[in-house]
């Protein structure tokens, strides 16, 4: 499989394939977003929530949730006819985080999907990408009935840099999910333009 920045195709046609990660806390809508935006039937690794999980993983706000991702979600989207994104959704449950290092290999950037009702669940993902210097944006999945917060309030709560994009989205909507991915690509490109500070 082609990863970040790889190019394929001959005779003047250059195709760029970019690997993007989608991370965030348990049940924030990662699998939903990959399913909404992918033009291939997404690969999913859903398993029923076990009885043991009930005490560990809060389903507050997503009470109807019955399954969880145990390895990854995988989808693909063509942004332009020469630009293809491969989207890897990470598992949200803490006990599967050992998968993240595998999934992060070769990733050009990441989206941290967050639910404002459980904002603190985003910290491990934010911390992970900051430590590895993988560019990321934060997308707030606006669940029905959840209170809306201004992006700047979320920035303060999550202690995010001023230049880091924070956008609202609906993980169920293809157009909204696409906008999230375009915002990330623009952020990655603008970060690449910045002079390296020493
Ligand atoms: N109302 C509403 N429900 C949503 C939205 N996004 C996801 N859901 C629901 O929320 C639940 C959790 O979504 P998932 O996509 O499984 O979340 P996840 O982040 O992949 O969860 P894990 O892999 O277990 O961490 C599902 O029942 C979805 O149908 C949304 O934007 N609005
Ligand atoms: Mg999932």
């Amino acid at each position: 499989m082609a990863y970040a920045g790889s190019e394929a195709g001959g005779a003047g046609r250059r195709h760029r394939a970019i690997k993007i990660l989608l991370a965030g806390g348990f049940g924030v809508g990662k699998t939903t977003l990959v399913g909404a935006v992918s033009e291939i039937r997404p690969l999913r690794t859903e398993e029923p929530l076990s009885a043991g999980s009930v005490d560990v993983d809060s389903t507050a706000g997503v009470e109807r949730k019955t399954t969880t991702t145990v390895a990854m979600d995988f989808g693909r989207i063509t942004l332009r006819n020469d630009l293809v994104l491969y989207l890897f959704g990470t598992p949200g449950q803490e006990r599967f985080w050992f998968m993240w290092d595998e999934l992060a290999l070769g990733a050009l950037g990441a989206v941290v999907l967050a639910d404002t009702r459980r904002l603190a669940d985003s910290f491990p993902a934010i911390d992970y990408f900051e430590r590895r210097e993988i560019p990321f944006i934060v997308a707030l999945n606006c669940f029905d009935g959840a209170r809306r917060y201004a992006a700047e309030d979320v920035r303060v709560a999550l202690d995010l840099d001023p230049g880091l994009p924070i956008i609202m989205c609906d993980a169920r909507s293809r157009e909204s999910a696409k906008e999230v991915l375009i915002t990330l690509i623009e952020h990655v490109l603008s970060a690449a333009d910045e002079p390296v500070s020493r």
Side-chain angles (χ1 to χ4, degrees):
M1 179 180 298
Y3 281 158
S6 64
E7 288 172 8
R13 286 206 60 167
R14 288 152 79 87
H15 294 275
R16 192 167 277 268
I18 294 176
K19 179 179 179 180
I20 298 295
L21 281 188
L22 177 61
F26 171 69
V28 293
K30 301 177 294 292
T31 299
T32 304
L33 191 148
V34 174
V37 81
S38 181
E39 60 207 10
I40 54 168
R41 195 155 65 94
L43 168 74
R44 289 183 173 158
T45 57
E46 294 293 287
E47 291 292 338
L49 281 172
S50 62
S53 147
V54 172
D55 298 332
V56 184
D57 306 301
S58 165
T59 53
V62 285
E63 286 82 3
R64 279 181 296 170
K65 187 168 168 59
T66 55
T67 63
T68 189
T69 304
V70 294
M72 64 169 179
D73 304 301
F74 173 70
R76 187 189 70 192
I77 172 168
T78 308
L79 277 192
R80 282 194 326 234
N81 56 6
D82 59 348
L83 180 63
V84 176
L85 300 193
Y86 290 103
L87 191 56
F88 289 75
T90 58
Q93 287 182 314
E94 205 172 324
R95 56 187 167 281
F96 298 120
W97 285 352
F98 64 89
M99 289 290 303
W100 287 29
D101 285 338
E102 282 298 319
L103 293 175
L105 277 179
L108 195 81
V111 174
V112 175
L113 193 60
D115 177 349
T116 51
R117 296 167 299 183
R118 295 174 293 148
L119 216 44
D121 293 359
S122 324
F123 280 124
I126 290 171
D127 200 44
Y128 184 91
F129 298 124
E130 281 180 345
R131 277 172 199 269
R132 285 161 185 80
E133 298 186 352
I134 296 174
F136 67 96
I137 66 164
V138 170
L140 303 172
N141 190 10
C142 302
F143 282 83
D144 305 328
R147 199 178 141 192
R148 302 281 188 268
Y149 292 87
E152 290 318 304
D153 293 338
V154 173
R155 187 183 307 284
V156 172
L158 292 177
D159 193 22
L160 297 170
D161 288 345
L164 193 137
I166 301 172
I167 66 165
M168 316 287 163
C169 74
D170 181 337
R172 300 163 298 179
S173 151
R174 180 175 157 81
E175 280 312 307
S176 176
K178 207 168 159 180
E179 202 182 311
V180 169
L181 298 175
I182 290 170
T183 304
L184 172 65
I185 299 299
E186 286 172 352
H187 178 59
V188 168
L189 292 176
S190 70
D193 282 345
E194 278 169 21
V196 180
S197 55
R198 290 178 192 276

